[in-house]
């Protein structure tokens, strides 16, 4: 499960503060919290300080309760988590990355030389595709995810591509930077 437990945020914001309620939902989503039910959000316990800060910044302290603890049972935890986040969609995004870059990575690895311009263009594409993925992923422990969760394989592929391309890409780009004074 999760060694340090879960952070659960529950809030009941009056209709008169509807805009702040929507802001809090947005903040919690961006922080990686999943929506368990009406006004109830969950994330790994490490997210507690961020939740406290978001609630305080909006002045909603008196309307929110934060709990940290272990999951002790009831509904299957993996099922609960998959319904709280769009984990299937996140997994699809990782798989799309793998589908797009597995063959190019193998081809680049097999080649003795990669042209600097090709390295630069490919590197930018890889970084642009990858940069959105970690922000959607709440970073849940491997043990509560589906057995075929694709994030580790996608991460390894990204690291491989960066290793192959980054130096060549930056060297190519450096030729276009103004010389330092």
């Amino acid at each position: 499960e999760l060694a340090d437990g879960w952070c659960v945020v529950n809030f009941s914001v009056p209709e008169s503060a509807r805009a702040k309620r929507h802001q809090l939902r947005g903040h919690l989503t961006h922080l990686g919290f999943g929506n368990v039910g009406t006004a109830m959000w969950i994330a790994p316990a490490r997210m507690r300080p961020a939740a406290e800060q978001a609630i305080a910044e909006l002045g909603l302290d008196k309307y929110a309760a934060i709990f940290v603890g272990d999951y002790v049972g009831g509904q299957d935890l993996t099922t609960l988590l998959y319904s709280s986040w769009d984990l299937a969609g996140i997994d699809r995004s990782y798989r799309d990355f793998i589908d797009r870059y597995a063959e190019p990575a193998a081809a680049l690895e097999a080649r003795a030389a990669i042209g600097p311009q090709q390295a630069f263009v490919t590197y930018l594409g890889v970084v642009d595709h990858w940069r959105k993925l970690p922000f959607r992923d709440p970073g849940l422990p491997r043990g509560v995810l589906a057995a075929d969760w694709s994030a580790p394989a996608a991460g390894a592929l990204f690291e491989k591509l960066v290793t192959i391309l980054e130096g060549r890409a930056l060297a190519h780009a450096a030729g276009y930077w103004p010389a330092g004074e």
Side-chain angles (χ1 to χ4, degrees), residues 103-140:
E103 279 186 34
L108 289 170
E109 256 185 333
R111 293 173 63 182
I114 300 167
Q117 185 171 0
Q118 179 193 7
F120 179 75
V121 169
T122 305
Y123 179 73
L124 287 182
V126 166
V127 170
D128 185 54
H129 192 150
W130 179 260
R131 69 185 171 83
K132 302 164 197 129
L133 301 180
F135 291 105
R136 290 189 62 209
D137 187 342
L140 299 176

Side-chain angles (χ1 to χ4, degrees), residues 74-96:
Q75 185 178 1
D76 175 69
L77 181 58
T78 299
T79 302
L80 174 68
L81 297 175
Y82 271 78
S83 67
S84 300
W85 282 274
D86 182 14
L87 295 177
I90 294 167
D91 187 62
R92 259 191 321 281
S93 296
Y94 283 125
R95 289 179 192 283
D96 290 347

